[in-house]
Structures are given as structure tokens and as C-alpha cells.
Amino acid sequence: MSTAEALLLLKAFEESCNGWFWSTDEGGHVTYLSGSMCDLLGGGPEAFLGYEFTRLFIHVDEDSSGRRTLPFLLSKHSPFERLTVRAAVADNERCWSLSGRPQFDESGRFLGYRGSAVDVTEHRKSSEHASLLAQYDALTGLPNRRRMAEVLETNLRIARHQNTSCAIMLIDLDRFKQVNDTLGHPAGDQLLKQVAERVVRIVGHQESVFRLGGDEFQVVLRNNDNRGILGDLATDIIRSISQPYLIEGSRCIIGASIGIAVAPLDGDSKDELIRNADLALYASKGAGRGRFRFFSSELLKDAEDKRTLEEDLREALARGEMSVEYQPIVNARTNRMTGVEALVRWRHPVRGDVSPALFIPIAEEAGIIAQIGEWVLRKACADAAGWPRKLRVAVNVSPIQFSSERFPATVVNALAHSGLAPNQLELEITEGVFLSQSADTDTIFSALKELGVRLALDDFGTGYSSLGYLQSAPFDKIKIDQSFVRAATLPDSRNSAIIAAIVALAEALDMETTAEGIEYMDQLNLIRELRVSHAQGWIYSRALSSADLSEKLETGDWVIEPSGPARQRSARQSVYRRVGVIHDGRYEQAIIQNLSESGALIVGAIALNPDTLLVVDFGDGQLAFARVIRSDGRKHGVAFEQHLVDDGNGGLCTSHRVSPYLLSTMGLPTPSNPVVEDEGVSPTPLEKLAERLGLTLAPRRSLQHSSGSDGSGAGAYGDTATTIRDLSARYLDMFEGDEHSRERAKRDLRNHVLPRFGQLRLDEVSEADLFAWLAAKVEVEACPAGTDDRLHALLNQIWNLAVKLGLPGAESNPLERHSMGEWRAARHEALTAESALKLLEAAQSSSNRELKFILAMMMITGVRPGELLKAEWDHIDVEERHWTLPEIEAGRSRQAQLGDGAIRLLAALPRPAGSRYLVSNPRTGQPYRSIQGSWEAVKVKAGLPHVELDDLRYCAIEANEILARLRLSAEEAL
């Protein structure tokens, strides 16, 4: 090929705009640039001769080491290939793969570079799209399992380096399979999308929520180990997911179970943390679903115990270890026994009596529940046939057992072999049998009724309640679950209204009712008033063997006089639990009883004086500071300095945990070193430990200021009460009739305010303390955005109450002097107008076309980046000049006023067709997940690498200057 032909080929290549050529001199100045590239840069070839080559381009693939930047590569005087760059002009998205070779003369002197570039725009878009698909779930748009692994590894590495924490939540949907099976997979996909939206709304950050696959989701929360906050968040997620869905015209109800693990105490590696969260999830599902559970070291042991128990259970029937006992069911008016419920018991040769709540779920999972259920049915029928008088016997039927087409034949066989009359047999069926309702279900119901046996709907209202069940299934009785009975007589309980509604429904359908689990006389009196026909519980009798029951029936009808405590006590847990007690340089073993969230009764420690400070070691890193409020020999009532929180399993736990090694490093006694010499110094080791944990302890004071005698920590309040805790109790009393607001305020007080300020007097808390603590909630503790504003409002109301009551230390309200925004602005050094304009100028050359508008809107309105990225056009009322900002946490939004500058900027915002979002990605029409990458490039280009995105909200610049820099006059905008 001749030189002329080669030149023609090169010229054709240049004119195709798919590539171009370049050359520089030894100083890096342009000596040649293809015309197609000059046109793109906005000038002719002569315009760029002598221009510094590196200033023409923006680096796209710059790595963190800086070794792949264009200036660095040119300075090396070495060949380079495939450096991706973009022209430094506005609105340009084309990317080029740049290559170059250094040129030298015969003496080896560097002369410059010659090189070429190839258009890789489409290839790069394809790669970015493939990368997006590889890390994000195509259905929900959430990050996927692969992305989760990367994020979790990063967060754990940061936690180790900064000595902080990282929590994960595994979320598994309950009853999702039924939606897929009944409505089809497209409906299931729609349901998963809605679930994802609800979880993101609760958590507040889409990049913290991951879809692992199927119906499994995961939440990763950095720097959060407060189990009170985590438990409340889990509760909110479960409650939100459990609300009804409308899918293709059908109403669907599902649930969720959650397992929680927190690094480093629950594991400091990704695999270990996920395994332990999975164990916690398994435990929450095993405990009844629809709840959360924290990981504990006991779960590892429980998993092994469960495996062993399953093996033993398979042999229990053959070994004769199982038996059936019978609990009387009594006419609530006459106290005459009308029937019994058959209850299976298992006496293990080593473990002793094993609770049915433990072995029944294992039997269901192991697939042996039908075998056990059939044996119980046969045994109950045979026993009942041999009693001296005819009694109705109720037998529980598992949904798995009921779904078998052989079940009616099994009932027939049991009745035939025992000789029991069919109307003496009552089968108790839970609502779970209706989940897979089909023609077979209806056939089984019909067959059982034709036999003449009675049917009872068990645990009504606790499962998958639907009045349609009562219409289609021929039940004779409704059993009211004991969860409704237990709290029915407590103040503010609505359970009595629920029971009354169930009774009215049963009477209208000509059904009997039985209330389970009655233990107190006031409960019995209530269910009698509500016209419940039958009662069952320990107030009449515990379960009896067949022989003991037969003996009771020898004399005829058995009338049982109720016997039990007069009134139900407030919720407290009667426990028998070994704990450690640390005080006065000693570590002692003790027993804890009557545990509540605010106090406990400790038995076994040596005599302690009232007001003694001690630490209760619950094990597993759970340390609770407490003060003795009363003492009787070796029995001590204590009030916890920080309330315990729900552990998700019906128990209580501390909100934080500490390393077991911390005690010895702080000079405190431990189980292995139970006595440490008390040096009598101040502060004491316990006070140092409290300071290390960030806990403010109550000063020693007289008993008139101490907590109530029941250890609740509530304390009497009045005009002399001056602590934040006492004042908070009075504040909560103001919410009478608004239980939702009261519960929300109570949660914020328990999780945030009281641990820091609860034991302090009003005059011990300064304005600087309050505002610094509020700011740290979001900036340091990584609480959801808006937490500081919400807590500011809460404290402001509490202080106003104190001022109104004229309490000591409350002569004025320090929180009324400044809003959170004013305080932040005063604390931050305001960004100068000059710096702001530099940033806007740099943003105009960003490949992100919306970035300049985002930055300008933050400067003018002071909104948060997260709020702006989620904002929609429908949130803005131009006539009223207010902007309803999107929810920054579940159920809460706020409004911002819009000035002239904001209105003019909104009018100039580009609005892609079909997009409802204020600022959106032009390619997808969806909001940006993050602008951090674009922002980092802009601040470096502006020469302001130290500026943070949030600093733009406190900018000392007029709106007109911002609009002028964006080249938006008032007339153009309007």
C-alpha cells in the first residue's frame, strides 16, 4: 500500500468520528489534533495548537492511587494504552480510549507524544449496564447478594478500624409461597416490589436494603449496636410488611420474620455474622413467625440441642415416653365440667418433661407430627370411652395432619376401635388449615361433619383470620386464644372489646365459645360479663392424667370451684435466672426474679444499702447498671439506670453489650477474679466503666427521689421532681387517648433521651450539651436523617412542660432560643459566596447534567441531599410556596417554605417526559441513588477538596448570585 493510500485510510477513519489522532511537543502542548475532535471541543484545528493537552479532557477511570491519570502517564515518557477520557465540555457523554507512544530523537531526547483515540461510549455504557445488572436486582432495583457481600465486607473493615459496630437484619417473608401458588408468579413479583418499597421507606436508605433472592431481604446498618433502636426498627418493618396489599385486584396479607446479629460481638467476619443472623431468623420463625430475634450464643447450643432432640423424638413413641393428659373445660356460669382438652406430654429419659411448645414444631419440621397426632387421637378416644361418665374430649389437629386425605378414615378408625360416640369427639383446628384451602379441604370438612364429630376453631384471631372461614367451615365452637385473655383486664387494653365481638359473632352463628388460659379471678369475672360460654385454665384445674380424671368423675358431675389470685398483675417476668452482681470490688453469683424493663428483685447478694450502685451481669456481654432502692437481708429491689428492651422473644435484654474482657481491663472483678482490692478512689471503677460506656449515672440522692417500690424506675413525680426521667413520666401522661403518639414518644425517650440525660436534674443540662448531643445523633451515630429534628421537638415540649410547672432549673427553655437549623448554621463555618460560585462553575462542566441544579437547590433551600433526590413534582405547591419533603423515616415528613429564588430555579429545572421526580437520571427517568461520585469530581475541580456536601446547606450567598452563575435571569426562568 502506498503512502497516499494509507493517508486516505487514516483520513477516512478521522472523518468517521469513531476515532482521532493527536500529538504533543515535549512540554505536553498540542501540535496536532484531528478535526473531528476539534469540532467536538468547539473550535478549529488552529484554535488548539499549543494548548495544554491534559486540560482538554476529564479522566473517567482515575484510580485511587493516581497512577492512571493522563498527566501522570505523560510525565513518565512511556507508552500507554486504553486510558478512558471524556472531553472537558458541557453536555458531553462520549468516552474515548486514549493511547500514546513517546517520540525520541537519535540522541534519545524526548520530543513529545503521538497517539490515537477510539470511541468507546457504547462499550462503556454496555459495561456499566452489565455492572449494574451484576450488583442490583432487576425486579426490585435493590442491591443484590453480590453487592451485599461487598458492602458488608467494607462496613466490617471500617468497624474494625474505627472500633465501631455493624448490624445486619435478615428478613424472610411469611406466607409468600401461598401468594405465588394461588395468584401466580407475576403477582408474586408485584408483591416483592411493594415489599421492597416498604422496607426502604422504613430504613430510609435504599443502598442499605438488599434482596438476596426469592423472598429474602437483608438490611445492613453501620455503626448501630443499640438493640432498643434495632428492635424498634425490626418491629416497624414487620408491621409495615404485614399490612394488606392489593395485587391485580386481589387483597393479599403476608408477614415477616427477622433475625438480627451485630458485629463484633456476634461475629467479626461476613460469613460468621450472616450465619448467626440466620440462626436468629430461624429462631424467630420457630417461635411463631411475625417477630424478630437477636442472636445469642445460646442459639448455637440450641441448634445442636434441637438436632439431638429431633433424633430422640423419632423414637419417643416406640419407647413409651409419651402420654396424654386432660385439662377440664368448664361451663363459665355453673362451674360444671363439660369436657376436656387432650394435651400430649413427653417425658425424656434424660431431660425430663419437654414442653410441647418445643417438641411440636420440631415434629412438624421433621415430618412426624401426623404419626404423633394419630397416636394422640387414638389414645384420647380410648381413654374417654373408659371414663365413668360421658364427656366431650377435644383433640388438637395439626394443619399437616388435617391436609391428608386419609385423615377422615383415621378418625373413623379411632372411633370404631374405642367405641366412643362421634358427638363426644371435638377436633380443634387452627386457621392454618385454610392457607391451602382447596376442594380437598372442603371434602375433608364435609366428611368429618357426616361422621357427627364436633369441630372447633382454635386460636381464633391469632393467625390468618377471615370471616369467610366461618361461613364455609361447619364449626361448632370458637376458642378465644389466651393472648386476648391475658391482657384483657389491664388498663387501656382493648382486648375485652375484641372478646365481646368474637362472642357476638359466635352467638349469631349459633356457636359456643371457650376462653383459654384463665389464671386470675378478675379475668374469669370479665369473660362471664362478656357472655363467654366456657372457660379453661389453671384457675379451675391443671391437666390431669386419665386415671386422676376418672377418679374425679366417680361421684358424678364434677363442679370445680375456681381458685386463684384476685387480680392480674402488670406484665413482669417471673424468672429464675443466675446472674453476676458487681459491687464494692466483688463479683457475686445471685438469682434474679420479677424482671421488668426498669427493675428487678435480686436474691443472694450480701446485704447492700439503699442507693448502692452495682452492675448486673446477665452474660453474653450484657451489663446493666442499677441502684438498690430497697433491701431486706439478701433480697434487693433494684432500678436499672437504663431500661431493658424487648429481645424479640418475649424476654428482655440490655440495649448495648460490651466485650467480656472489658471488666478486667477496667480493674473490675470478674467470675475468674471475684475480689479486687477497693482503693477507695474517686471516681470508682464502676463510675469509670459507666463513663467508658457513655452512660450518665444518677447522683446519689435520698429515697424520696428514687424509683417506685416495684423497681419500675417510674418514681413519683411532682413539683419537687427535677430529673429528666421524672419529667418524662409526667410528659407521657399527657398523651391520654393518643396511644400511637405516646408509644412513639416513649420509644424515643427510652432509646435516645433517657440513657444520656435521664438521671440529670434540669439545671445540670446546658444548651450546648443538648445541641451537641442532637447533632451527634445523625453525624456520629448515623441515626436516620431527621432524628435530630424529631428529638429536638420532643425535648422542647418536655422543657415547656417544666417551665409551665415552674420546676427548679426550668426558668427558661434553652431549646426555644434556636432551631436545629440555626444551631447547625452557627456551628458550621458558613461556605463563602466565592467558594459556592466555584463549585457551581465546576458543576456546569460535570457529565451529570442535573448536578448544578441539585447543588443550587441545596444552597437556596437548605434541604438535605437525600430529601432532594427523593423529591417529586407533586410534593411542590407553587401557589402556596411550600414543599412537602419526602418521608425521611416511616410515617413522618416535613415542609419547607420556598422563596423567590427557589421558585425561579424550579421553573428552570428540566423535566423529562414521564418522570415524576424533581431531579432524575435522564437515561432511566429514576432518581439518582447517589451523587457522591459526581460531587467528589466537582469539588476537586473547584479546588475545594475539604468541602462536604452538607456544607452547601449553610451557604452565605444570595439566590440571585446562584441563578446568575447558572445563567438564569428571572425573566428566563419565568
Side-chain angles (χ1 to χ4, degrees):
M1 180 184 294
S2 67
T3 302
E5 290 175 326
L7 290 174
L8 287 174
L9 285 174
L10 292 174
K11 183 177 181 181
F13 176 71
E14 286 185 311
E15 292 176 350
S16 71
C17 296
N18 289 322
W20 44 273
F21 300 103
W22 61 278
S23 67
T24 65
D25 60 19
E26 68 275 12
H29 301 96
V30 175
T31 58
Y32 177 80
L33 193 63
S34 295
S36 59
M37 191 62 203
C38 292
D39 293 341
L40 183 63
L41 292 171
E46 296 80 8
F48 295 102
L49 292 178
Y51 203 84
E52 189 175 341
F53 186 67
T54 58
R55 297 186 61 188
L56 297 176
F57 303 99
I58 298 172
H59 312 299
V60 176
D61 285 338
E62 180 177 346
D63 68 8
S64 58
S65 68
R67 294 178 181 175
R68 285 283 293 175
T69 66
L70 185 56
F72 177 82
L73 292 174
L74 294 180
S75 69
K76 296 282 289 182
H77 298 175
S78 299
F80 65 90
E81 294 181 347
R82 295 189 295 276
L83 176 70
T84 306
V85 298
R86 187 164 50 230
V89 295
D91 302 329
N92 171 64
E93 293 186 357
R94 296 186 71 178
C95 295
W96 308 90
S97 179
L98 197 66
S99 300
R101 288 189 169 275
Q103 304 297 310
F104 302 93
D105 63 13
E106 294 179 354
S107 64
R109 185 172 66 89
F110 176 66
L111 300 177
Y113 267 91
R114 291 177 187 170
S116 61
V118 179
D119 189 342
V120 292
T121 305
E122 292 304 319
H123 174 74
R124 183 171 180 82
K125 286 182 179 179
S126 176
S127 297
E128 288 177 348
H129 181 64
S131 177
L132 190 68
L133 290 179
Q135 298 199 52
Y136 288 85
D137 176 49
L139 178 64
T140 63
L142 295 178
N144 60 16
R145 184 185 294 272
R146 176 180 174 183
R147 176 65 177 160
M148 179 277 297
E150 295 175 357
V151 170
L152 184 55
E153 287 280 16
T154 300
N155 285 345
L156 289 174
R157 186 167 56 252
I158 292 172
R160 284 191 292 270
H161 179 69
Q162 299 180 353
N163 196 27
T164 56
S165 61
C166 177
I168 65 170
M169 294 182 176
L170 286 182
I171 306 171
D172 188 80
L173 303 184
D174 301 329
R175 305 187 296 279
F176 174 75
K177 183 177 183 298
Q178 282 72 27
V179 176
N180 256 351
D181 292 345
T182 55
L183 299 180
H185 289 284
D189 289 346
Q190 291 299 316
L191 180 58
L192 288 173
K193 289 181 181 179
Q194 294 188 33
V195 168
E197 291 172 358
R198 294 186 184 187
V199 177
V200 169
R201 192 179 306 123
I202 296 294
V203 175
H205 307 286
Q206 179 165 321
E207 293 299 309
S208 298
V209 183
F210 306 83
R211 183 185 175 212
L212 304 183
D215 60 353
E216 292 183 319
F217 295 81
Q218 182 170 316
V219 177
V220 178
L221 300 169
R222 184 170 61 88
N223 197 23
N224 193 336
D225 64 348
N226 187 316
R227 294 198 287 182
I229 295 175
L230 292 172
D232 288 341
L233 180 63
T235 299
D236 289 342
I237 291 174
I238 292 170
R239 185 180 295 121
S240 178
I241 291 177
S242 301
Q243 296 301 310
Y245 301 80
L246 189 62
I247 306 293
E248 298 179 354
S250 298
R251 184 172 181 266
C252 304
I253 298 178
I254 60 172
S257 302
I258 298 179
I260 307 172
V262 183
L265 289 176
D266 295 336
D268 57 3
S269 71
K270 173 177 67 70
D271 293 340
E272 186 180 9
L273 199 63
I274 292 175
R275 181 203 65 186
N276 291 343
D278 197 45
L279 282 173
L281 172 62
Y282 186 80
S284 70
K285 295 175 78 71
R289 303 176 184 265
R291 62 184 66 194
F292 67 89
R293 182 78 183 269
F294 291 106
F295 171 78
S296 68
S297 57
E298 295 175 354
L299 293 180
L300 284 173
K301 181 177 180 298
D302 289 345
E304 178 59 29
D305 286 348
K306 184 175 180 181
R307 185 188 64 79
T308 304
L309 206 60
E310 179 183 327
E311 294 176 357
D312 293 342
L313 185 58
R314 293 183 181 277
E315 306 295 331
L317 277 179
R319 294 172 181 165
E321 296 169 3
M322 288 195 158
S323 62
V324 179
E325 293 183 348
Y326 302 91
Q327 185 172 40
I329 299 173
V330 178
N331 185 297
R333 294 290 178 189
T334 65
N335 294 332
R336 184 175 64 84
M337 185 177 68
T338 60
V340 293
E341 180 181 359
L343 302 173
V344 63
R345 299 291 187 249
W346 178 22
R347 174 156 293 181
H348 191 278
V350 176
R351 299 169 181 261
D353 291 331
V354 182
S355 169
L358 178 60
F359 73 78
I360 292 297
I362 294 177
E364 290 179 333
E365 293 177 14
I368 56 177
I369 189 65
Q371 177 187 358
I372 295 175
E374 181 176 344
W375 178 83
V376 172
L377 176 63
R378 293 179 181 277
K379 174 68 172 169
C381 289
D383 286 347
W387 292 332
R389 68 176 292 265
K390 290 186 177 181
L391 274 183
R392 190 183 299 156
V393 59
V395 179
N396 290 281
V397 178
S398 162
I400 298 174
Q401 185 182 4
F402 184 89
S403 63
S404 171
E405 60 182 14
R406 294 181 54 253
F407 182 62
T410 300
V411 175
V412 171
N413 192 279
L415 291 173
H417 277 76
S418 64
L420 186 71
N423 62 0
Q424 286 183 252
L425 176 62
E426 185 171 86
L427 301 177
E428 294 189 359
I429 302 165
T430 65
E431 294 165 327
V433 303
F434 297 102
L435 280 179
S436 57
Q437 188 170 15
S438 61
D440 291 339
T441 305
D442 295 336
T443 301
I444 292 172
F445 270 117
S446 299
L448 294 174
K449 288 306 291 183
E450 288 178 5
L451 288 175
V453 301
R454 291 170 54 87
L455 299 177
L457 181 55
D458 198 11
D459 300 339
F460 180 72
T462 63
Y464 323 104
S465 302
S466 169
L467 297 182
Y469 303 158
L470 300 178
Q471 180 184 24
S472 60
F475 288 109
D476 301 286
K477 177 190 285 187
I478 295 177
K479 297 198 74 174
I480 302 168
D481 188 69
Q482 56 185 320
S483 61
F484 294 117
V485 175
R486 283 174 186 157
T489 57
L490 295 179
D492 302 323
S493 173
R494 298 181 180 180
N495 287 14
S496 60
I498 295 174
I499 294 173
I502 294 174
V503 171
L505 179 64
E507 289 177 344
L509 296 173
D510 195 26
M511 297 180 185
E512 295 177 355
T513 49
T514 295
E516 299 179 292
I518 300 175
E519 300 179 5
Y520 300 94
M521 291 301 299
D522 59 346
Q523 293 176 344
L524 179 61
N525 293 335
L526 177 64
I527 67 115
R528 284 172 171 171
E529 292 174 9
L530 297 177
R531 303 195 311 277
V532 178
S533 61
H534 292 78
Q536 178 182 351
W538 281 19
I539 198 167
Y540 283 110
S541 174
R542 64 182 62 210
L544 304 172
S545 67
S546 178
D548 290 342
L549 180 61
S550 182
E551 183 179 339
K552 297 284 187 182
L553 297 174
E554 288 290 349
T555 57
D557 288 348
W558 184 18
V559 176
I560 310 174
E561 290 300 325
S563 175
R567 293 184 176 277
Q568 180 175 358
R569 288 190 262 178
S570 298
R572 64 172 62 191
Q573 297 181 42
S574 295
V575 298
Y576 187 81
R577 178 174 178 179
R578 292 191 177 276
V579 296
V581 176
I582 305 171
H583 65 93
D584 299 327
R586 302 173 64 91
Y587 188 105
E588 295 187 72
Q589 297 294 334
I591 302 298
I592 199 165
Q593 295 180 353
N594 296 337
L595 181 66
S596 72
E597 66 176 21
S598 56
L601 177 65
I602 295 178
V603 180
I606 63 172
L608 298 171
N609 295 322
D611 217 26
T612 297
L613 178 66
L614 52 84
V615 168
V616 181
D617 181 5
F618 289 94
D620 220 10
Q622 299 184 84
L623 301 181
F625 281 82
R627 285 202 184 274
V628 178
I629 58 174
R630 67 182 187 280
S631 185
D632 181 12
R634 295 173 67 86
K635 293 183 178 181
H636 312 287
V638 301
F640 296 127
E641 296 280 329
Q642 285 183 298
H643 284 197
L644 302 183
V645 299
D646 182 8
D647 69 353
N649 193 41
L652 296 168
C653 63
T654 59
S655 58
H656 294 87
R657 291 175 296 165
V658 301
S659 168
Y661 305 106
L662 185 60
L663 294 179
S664 58
T665 60
M666 296 291 294
L668 289 162
T670 63
S672 59
N673 185 26
V675 179
V676 174
E677 186 69 28
D678 187 357
E679 300 177 357
V681 297
S682 182
T684 67
L686 282 186
E687 291 168 339
K688 289 180 181 178
L689 177 62
E691 183 180 357
R692 172 79 172 269
L693 299 179
L695 175 63
T696 302
L697 297 176
R700 290 180 177 271
R701 52 189 182 177
S702 62
L703 287 179
Q704 65 177 343
H705 293 293
S706 65
S707 302
S709 61
D710 63 348
S712 66
Y717 53 75
D719 291 347
T720 61
T722 56
T723 69
I724 304 297
R725 184 182 299 282
D726 294 335
L727 187 58
S728 297
R730 187 156 191 170
Y731 172 72
L732 291 175
D733 287 344
M734 298 169 58
F735 284 94
E736 185 175 355
D738 188 356
E739 192 61 30
H740 176 75
S741 297
R742 184 181 189 278
E743 188 61 29
R744 186 180 186 84
K746 183 178 178 182
R747 281 168 48 174
D748 280 339
L749 286 167
R750 181 187 69 215
N751 293 331
H752 299 288
V753 177
L754 296 183
R756 174 62 179 86
F757 299 110
Q759 306 297 346
L760 296 179
R761 299 189 306 272
L762 297 176
D763 57 4
E764 293 177 319
V765 182
S766 69
E767 177 183 1
D769 288 339
L770 290 170
F771 279 106
W773 174 77
L774 286 167
K777 280 293 165 183
V778 171
E779 297 173 9
V780 179
E781 298 181 28
C783 292
T787 302
D788 49 355
D789 290 316
R790 189 179 74 248
L791 295 178
H792 178 277
L794 173 64
L795 285 168
N796 186 43
Q797 293 168 356
I798 291 176
W799 234 275
N800 281 336
L801 173 62
V803 173
K804 180 179 178 181
L805 295 173
L807 299 181
E811 287 72 21
S812 63
N813 183 353
L815 292 145
E816 281 191 333
R817 298 169 195 156
H818 303 291
S819 68
M820 275 304 297
E822 292 170 338
W823 188 83
R824 288 194 202 98
R827 186 171 64 89
H828 285 269
E829 181 181 352
L831 193 67
T832 65
E834 180 184 2
S835 296
L837 293 176
K838 285 183 178 179
L839 290 167
L840 288 173
E841 188 68 33
Q844 294 195 73
S845 62
S846 171
S847 61
N848 184 338
R849 299 179 183 180
E850 279 69 33
L851 185 63
K852 57 180 177 289
F853 295 108
I854 295 173
L855 302 188
M857 187 64 72
M858 289 179 61
M859 293 177 183
I860 292 175
T861 64
V863 299
R864 299 181 177 91
E867 294 171 330
L868 184 55
L869 294 182
K870 295 179 183 177
E872 301 181 18
W873 287 101
D874 291 344
H875 296 158
I876 296 173
D877 189 330
V878 177
E879 293 184 2
E880 297 295 330
R881 288 178 171 258
H882 68 70
W883 180 1
T884 302
L885 295 168
E887 294 183 357
I888 47 184
E889 59 186 83
R892 186 177 187 272
S893 59
R894 65 187 183 95
Q895 288 192 343
Q897 294 299 314
L898 298 174
D900 291 339
I903 295 294
R904 287 159 55 190
L905 182 58
L906 286 170
L909 276 177
R911 187 173 182 178
S915 177
R916 69 178 192 269
Y917 296 101
L918 208 61
V919 287
S920 59
N921 189 318
R923 292 195 296 271
T924 65
Q926 296 299 309
Y928 291 98
R929 290 190 176 92
S930 171
I931 59 169
Q932 196 62 38
S934 302
W935 163 247
E936 292 293 334
V938 162
K939 69 180 187 179
V940 170
K941 185 173 183 180
L944 298 167
H946 62 283
V947 177
E948 298 299 334
L949 191 58
D950 202 52
D951 293 337
L952 303 186
R953 300 171 56 210
Y954 315 107
C955 186
I957 187 171
E958 296 293 331
N960 287 337
E961 292 185 75
I962 296 173
L963 297 174
R965 183 51 57 103
L966 295 180
R967 301 174 181 85
L968 291 175
S969 66
E971 292 76 15
E972 288 173 330
L974 296 175

